[in-house]
Coordinates of all heavy atoms in Angstrom, one line a residue:
T68 N 34.9 6.1 -3.8 CA 36.2 6.4 -3.4 C 36.8 7.6 -4.2 O 37.9 8.0 -3.9 CB 37.2 5.2 -3.5 OG1 37.3 4.8 -4.9 CG2 36.7 4.0 -2.7
S69 N 36.1 8.0 -5.2 CA 36.6 9.1 -6.0 C 35.8 10.4 -5.7 O 34.6 10.5 -5.9 CB 36.5 8.8 -7.5 OG 36.4 9.9 -8.3
E70 N 36.6 11.4 -5.2 CA 36.0 12.7 -4.9 C 35.4 13.3 -6.2 O 34.3 13.9 -6.2 CB 37.1 13.6 -4.4 CG 36.6 14.8 -3.6 CD 37.7 15.6 -3.0 OE1 38.6 15.0 -2.4 OE2 37.8 16.8 -3.2
A71 N 36.1 13.2 -7.3 CA 35.6 13.8 -8.6 C 34.3 13.1 -9.0 O 33.4 13.8 -9.4 CB 36.7 13.6 -9.6
D72 N 34.2 11.8 -8.9 CA 33.0 11.1 -9.2 C 31.8 11.6 -8.4 O 30.7 11.8 -8.9 CB 33.1 9.6 -9.0 CG 33.8 8.9 -10.2 OD1 34.4 9.6 -11.0 OD2 33.7 7.6 -10.2
V73 N 32.0 11.7 -7.1 CA 31.0 12.0 -6.1 C 30.5 13.5 -6.4 O 29.3 13.8 -6.4 CB 31.4 11.8 -4.7 CG1 30.3 12.3 -3.7 CG2 31.7 10.3 -4.4
E74 N 31.5 14.4 -6.6 CA 31.1 15.8 -7.0 C 30.3 15.8 -8.2 O 29.3 16.5 -8.3 CB 32.3 16.6 -7.0 CG 33.0 16.9 -5.7 CD 33.7 18.1 -5.6 OE1 33.5 19.0 -6.4 OE2 34.6 18.2 -4.6
N75 N 30.8 15.1 -9.2 CA 30.1 15.1 -10.5 C 28.6 14.6 -10.4 O 27.7 15.1 -11.0 CB 30.9 14.2 -11.5 CG 30.2 14.0 -12.8 OD1 30.0 15.0 -13.5 ND2 29.7 12.8 -13.2
L76 N 28.5 13.6 -9.5 CA 27.1 13.0 -9.3 C 26.2 14.1 -8.7 O 25.1 14.3 -9.2 CB 27.2 11.9 -8.2 CG 25.9 11.4 -7.6 CD1 25.0 10.7 -8.7 CD2 26.1 10.5 -6.5
F77 N 26.7 14.9 -7.8 CA 25.8 16.0 -7.2 C 25.5 17.1 -8.3 O 24.4 17.6 -8.4 CB 26.4 16.5 -5.9 CG 26.1 15.6 -4.8 CD1 27.2 15.0 -4.1 CD2 24.8 15.4 -4.3 CE1 26.9 14.1 -3.0 CE2 24.6 14.6 -3.2 CZ 25.6 13.9 -2.6
I78 N 26.6 17.4 -9.0 CA 26.4 18.4 -10.1 C 25.4 18.0 -11.1 O 24.4 18.7 -11.4 CB 27.8 18.8 -10.7 CG1 28.7 19.5 -9.7 CG2 27.6 19.6 -12.0 CD1 30.2 19.5 -10.2
K79 N 25.5 16.8 -11.6 CA 24.6 16.2 -12.6 C 23.2 16.1 -12.0 O 22.2 16.3 -12.7 CB 25.1 14.9 -13.1 CG 26.3 14.9 -13.9 CD 26.0 15.0 -15.4 CE 27.2 15.4 -16.2 NZ 28.4 14.6 -16.2
T80 N 23.1 15.7 -10.8 CA 21.8 15.5 -10.1 C 21.1 16.8 -10.0 O 19.9 16.9 -10.3 CB 21.9 14.8 -8.8 OG1 22.6 13.6 -8.9 CG2 20.6 14.6 -8.1
K81 N 21.8 17.9 -9.6 CA 21.2 19.2 -9.5 C 20.7 19.7 -10.9 O 19.6 20.3 -11.0 CB 22.2 20.2 -8.9 CG 22.3 20.1 -7.4 CD 23.1 21.2 -6.8 CE 22.3 22.5 -6.7 NZ 23.1 23.5 -6.0
E82 N 21.5 19.4 -11.9 CA 21.1 19.8 -13.3 C 19.8 19.0 -13.6 O 18.8 19.6 -14.1 CB 22.2 19.4 -14.3 CG 23.3 20.4 -14.4 CD 24.5 19.8 -15.2 OE1 24.3 18.9 -16.0 OE2 25.6 20.4 -15.0
H83 N 19.8 17.7 -13.3 CA 18.6 16.9 -13.7 C 17.3 17.4 -13.0 O 16.3 17.5 -13.6 CB 18.9 15.4 -13.3 CG 17.7 14.5 -13.4 ND1 17.2 14.1 -14.7 CD2 16.9 13.9 -12.5 CE1 16.2 13.3 -14.5 NE2 16.0 13.2 -13.2
F84 N 17.4 17.6 -11.7 CA 16.2 18.0 -11.0 C 16.0 19.6 -11.0 O 14.9 20.0 -10.6 CB 16.3 17.6 -9.5 CG 16.2 16.1 -9.3 CD1 17.0 15.4 -8.4 CD2 15.1 15.4 -9.8 CE1 16.9 14.1 -8.2 CE2 14.9 14.1 -9.6 CZ 15.8 13.4 -8.8
G85 N 17.0 20.3 -11.5 CA 16.9 21.8 -11.4 C 16.9 22.3 -10.0 O 16.3 23.3 -9.7
G86 N 17.7 21.6 -9.2 CA 17.8 22.0 -7.7 C 18.3 20.8 -6.9 O 18.7 19.8 -7.5
G87 N 18.3 21.0 -5.6 CA 18.8 20.0 -4.7 C 17.9 18.8 -4.5 O 16.8 18.8 -5.0
V88 N 18.4 17.9 -3.7 CA 17.5 16.7 -3.3 C 17.1 16.8 -1.9 O 17.6 17.5 -1.1 CB 18.3 15.4 -3.5 CG1 18.7 15.2 -5.0 CG2 19.5 15.3 -2.6
D89 N 16.1 15.9 -1.5 CA 15.5 15.9 -0.2 C 16.0 14.7 0.6 O 15.9 14.7 1.8 CB 14.0 15.9 -0.3 CG 13.5 17.0 -1.1 OD1 13.6 18.2 -0.6 OD2 13.0 16.8 -2.2
F90 N 16.5 13.7 -0.1 CA 17.1 12.6 0.7 C 18.1 11.8 -0.1 O 18.2 11.9 -1.3 CB 15.9 11.6 1.1 CG 15.2 10.9 -0.1 CD1 15.7 9.7 -0.6 CD2 14.0 11.5 -0.5 CE1 15.0 9.1 -1.6 CE2 13.3 10.9 -1.6 CZ 13.8 9.7 -2.1
V91 N 19.0 11.1 0.7 CA 20.1 10.3 0.1 C 20.2 9.0 0.9 O 20.2 9.0 2.1 CB 21.5 11.1 0.3 CG1 22.6 10.2 -0.2 CG2 21.5 12.4 -0.5
L92 N 20.2 7.9 0.2 CA 20.5 6.6 0.8 C 21.9 6.2 0.5 O 22.3 6.0 -0.7 CB 19.5 5.6 0.3 CG 19.8 4.2 0.9 CD1 19.4 4.1 2.4 CD2 19.0 3.1 0.1
H93 N 22.7 5.9 1.5 CA 24.1 5.4 1.4 C 23.9 3.9 1.7 O 23.8 3.6 2.9 CB 25.0 6.1 2.3 CG 26.4 5.6 2.4 ND1 26.8 4.4 2.9 CD2 27.6 6.2 1.9 CE1 28.1 4.2 2.8 NE2 28.6 5.3 2.2
S94 N 24.0 3.0 0.7 CA 23.8 1.6 1.0 C 24.9 0.9 0.3 O 24.8 0.2 -0.7 CB 22.4 1.2 0.4 OG 22.1 -0.2 0.6
I95 N 26.1 1.1 1.0 CA 27.4 0.7 0.3 C 28.3 0.0 1.4 O 28.4 0.5 2.5 CB 28.1 1.9 -0.2 CG1 27.3 2.7 -1.2 CG2 29.5 1.5 -0.7 CD1 27.8 4.1 -1.4
G96 N 28.8 -1.2 1.0 CA 29.7 -1.8 1.9 C 30.6 -2.8 1.2 O 30.1 -3.5 0.2
M97 N 31.8 -2.9 1.5 CA 32.7 -3.9 0.8 C 34.0 -4.1 1.7 O 34.5 -3.1 2.2 CB 33.1 -3.3 -0.5 CG 33.4 -4.4 -1.6 SD 35.0 -5.0 -1.5 CE 36.0 -3.6 -1.8
S98 N 34.4 -5.3 1.9 CA 35.6 -5.6 2.5 C 36.4 -6.6 1.7 O 35.9 -7.8 1.4 CB 35.4 -6.2 3.9 OG 36.5 -7.0 4.3
I99 N 37.6 -6.3 1.3 CA 38.4 -7.2 0.5 C 38.9 -8.4 1.4 O 39.0 -9.5 1.0 CB 39.6 -6.5 -0.2 CG1 39.1 -5.3 -0.9 CG2 40.3 -7.5 -1.1 CD1 40.3 -4.4 -1.4
N100 N 39.1 -8.1 2.7 CA 39.5 -9.1 3.6 C 38.4 -10.2 3.8 O 38.7 -11.4 3.8 CB 39.9 -8.5 5.0 CG 41.2 -7.8 5.0 OD1 42.2 -8.4 4.6 ND2 41.2 -6.5 5.4
V101 N 37.2 -9.7 3.8 CA 36.1 -10.7 3.9 C 36.0 -11.5 2.6 O 35.9 -12.7 2.6 CB 34.7 -9.9 4.1 CG1 33.5 -10.9 3.9 CG2 34.7 -9.3 5.5
R102 N 36.1 -10.8 1.5 CA 36.0 -11.4 0.2 C 37.1 -12.5 0.0 O 36.8 -13.6 -0.5 CB 36.2 -10.4 -0.9 CG 35.0 -9.8 -1.4 CD 35.1 -9.3 -2.8 NE 34.0 -8.5 -3.1 CZ 34.0 -7.6 -4.1 NH1 35.0 -7.5 -4.9 NH2 32.9 -6.9 -4.3
K103 N 38.3 -12.2 0.5 CA 39.4 -13.2 0.3 C 39.5 -14.1 1.5 O 40.5 -14.8 1.6 CB 40.7 -12.4 0.1 CG 40.7 -11.6 -1.2 CD 42.1 -11.1 -1.5 CE 42.2 -10.3 -2.7 NZ 42.3 -11.0 -4.0
N104 N 38.6 -14.1 2.4 CA 38.6 -15.0 3.6 C 39.8 -14.8 4.5 O 40.3 -15.8 4.9 CB 38.5 -16.4 3.0 CG 37.3 -17.1 3.5 OD1 36.8 -16.8 4.6 ND2 36.7 -17.9 2.6
I105 N 40.3 -13.6 4.6 CA 41.5 -13.4 5.5 C 41.0 -13.1 6.9 O 40.2 -12.2 7.1 CB 42.3 -12.2 4.9 CG1 42.7 -12.4 3.5 CG2 43.5 -11.9 5.8 CD1 43.4 -11.2 2.8
P106 N 41.5 -13.9 7.9 CA 41.0 -13.7 9.3 C 41.4 -12.4 9.8 O 42.4 -11.8 9.4 CB 41.7 -14.8 10.1 CG 42.4 -15.7 9.1 CD 42.5 -15.0 7.8
Y107 N 40.5 -11.8 10.7 CA 40.7 -10.5 11.3 C 42.1 -10.3 11.8 O 42.7 -9.2 11.5 CB 39.7 -10.3 12.4 CG 39.7 -8.9 13.0 CD1 39.1 -7.8 12.3 CD2 40.3 -8.6 14.2 CE1 39.1 -6.5 12.8 CE2 40.3 -7.3 14.7 CZ 39.7 -6.3 14.0 OH 39.7 -5.0 14.5
T108 N 42.6 -11.3 12.5 CA 44.0 -11.1 13.2 C 45.1 -11.1 12.2 O 46.3 -10.9 12.5 CB 44.2 -12.2 14.3 OG1 43.8 -13.4 13.7 CG2 43.3 -11.9 15.5
E109 N 44.8 -11.5 10.9 CA 45.9 -11.5 9.9 C 45.5 -10.6 8.7 O 46.0 -10.7 7.6 CB 46.0 -13.0 9.4 CG 46.5 -13.9 10.4 CD 46.2 -15.4 10.1 OE1 46.2 -15.7 8.9 OE2 46.0 -16.2 11.0
N110 N 44.6 -9.7 9.0 CA 44.1 -8.8 7.9 C 45.3 -8.2 7.1 O 46.3 -7.8 7.6 CB 43.3 -7.6 8.4 CG 41.8 -7.9 8.6 OD1 41.1 -7.1 9.1 ND2 41.4 -9.1 8.3
N111 N 45.1 -8.1 5.8 CA 46.0 -7.3 4.9 C 45.5 -5.8 5.1 O 44.4 -5.5 4.7 CB 45.8 -7.7 3.5 CG 46.6 -6.9 2.5 OD1 46.6 -5.6 2.7 ND2 47.2 -7.5 1.5
L112 N 46.4 -5.0 5.7 CA 45.9 -3.7 6.1 C 45.7 -2.7 4.9 O 45.0 -1.7 5.0 CB 46.9 -3.1 7.2 CG 46.9 -3.9 8.5 CD1 47.8 -3.3 9.5 CD2 45.5 -4.1 9.0
D113 N 46.3 -3.0 3.8 CA 46.0 -2.2 2.6 C 44.6 -2.5 2.2 O 43.8 -1.6 1.8 CB 46.9 -2.6 1.4 CG 48.4 -2.1 1.6 OD1 48.5 -1.1 2.3 OD2 49.3 -2.7 1.1
F114 N 44.2 -3.8 2.3 CA 42.8 -4.1 2.0 C 41.8 -3.4 3.1 O 40.7 -3.0 2.7 CB 42.5 -5.6 2.1 CG 43.2 -6.4 1.0 CD1 43.4 -7.8 1.1 CD2 43.7 -5.8 -0.1 CE1 44.0 -8.6 0.2 CE2 44.4 -6.6 -1.1 CZ 44.5 -7.9 -1.0
T115 N 42.3 -3.4 4.3 CA 41.5 -2.7 5.4 C 41.3 -1.3 5.0 O 40.2 -0.8 5.1 CB 42.2 -2.8 6.7 OG1 42.5 -4.2 7.0 CG2 41.4 -2.2 7.8
H116 N 42.4 -0.6 4.6 CA 42.2 0.8 4.2 C 41.2 1.0 3.1 O 40.3 1.9 3.2 CB 43.6 1.4 3.7 CG 44.4 1.9 4.8 ND1 45.8 1.7 4.9 CD2 44.1 2.7 5.9 CE1 46.2 2.2 6.0 NE2 45.3 2.9 6.6
K117 N 41.3 0.2 2.1 CA 40.4 0.3 1.0 C 38.9 0.0 1.4 O 38.0 0.7 1.0 CB 40.8 -0.8 -0.1 CG 40.0 -0.9 -1.3 CD 40.5 0.1 -2.4 CE 39.7 0.0 -3.7 NZ 39.6 1.2 -4.4
G118 N 38.8 -1.0 2.2 CA 37.4 -1.3 2.7 C 36.8 -0.2 3.6 O 35.7 0.1 3.4
L119 N 37.7 0.4 4.4 CA 37.2 1.5 5.3 C 36.8 2.7 4.4 O 35.8 3.4 4.6 CB 38.2 1.9 6.3 CG 38.5 1.0 7.4 CD1 39.7 1.5 8.3 CD2 37.3 0.8 8.3
D120 N 37.6 2.9 3.3 CA 37.3 4.0 2.4 C 36.0 3.9 1.7 O 35.2 4.8 1.7 CB 38.5 4.1 1.4 CG 38.5 5.5 0.7 OD1 37.8 6.4 1.2 OD2 39.1 5.6 -0.4
I121 N 35.7 2.6 1.2 CA 34.5 2.4 0.5 C 33.3 2.4 1.5 O 32.2 3.0 1.2 CB 34.5 1.0 -0.2 CG1 35.5 1.1 -1.3 CG2 33.1 0.6 -0.7 CD1 35.8 -0.3 -2.0
S122 N 33.5 1.7 2.6 CA 32.3 1.4 3.5 C 32.0 2.6 4.5 O 30.9 2.7 5.0 CB 32.6 0.1 4.3 OG 33.0 -0.9 3.4
A123 N 33.0 3.4 4.9 CA 32.8 4.4 5.9 C 33.2 5.8 5.5 O 32.3 6.7 5.5 CB 33.6 4.0 7.2

Side-chain angles (χ1 to χ4, degrees):
T68 62
S69 155
E70 198 175 312
D72 277 15
V73 174
E74 289 208 18
N75 177 61
L76 167 69
F77 282 114
I78 292 166
K79 291 266 164 61
T80 301
K81 277 187 85 173
E82 279 169 17
H83 172 71
F84 286 134
V88 297
D89 304 293
F90 63 88
V91 175
L92 177 71
H93 177 288
S94 185
I95 299 163
M97 210 278 296
S98 157
I99 309 172
N100 286 306
V101 168
R102 270 205 193 160
K103 293 189 183 282
N104 245 323
I105 302 173
Y107 184 75
T108 48
E109 294 160 32
N110 274 179
N111 173 322
L112 298 181
D113 289 333
F114 294 164
T115 302
H116 273 137
K117 180 87 178 152
L119 289 178
D120 196 16
I121 294 174
S122 309

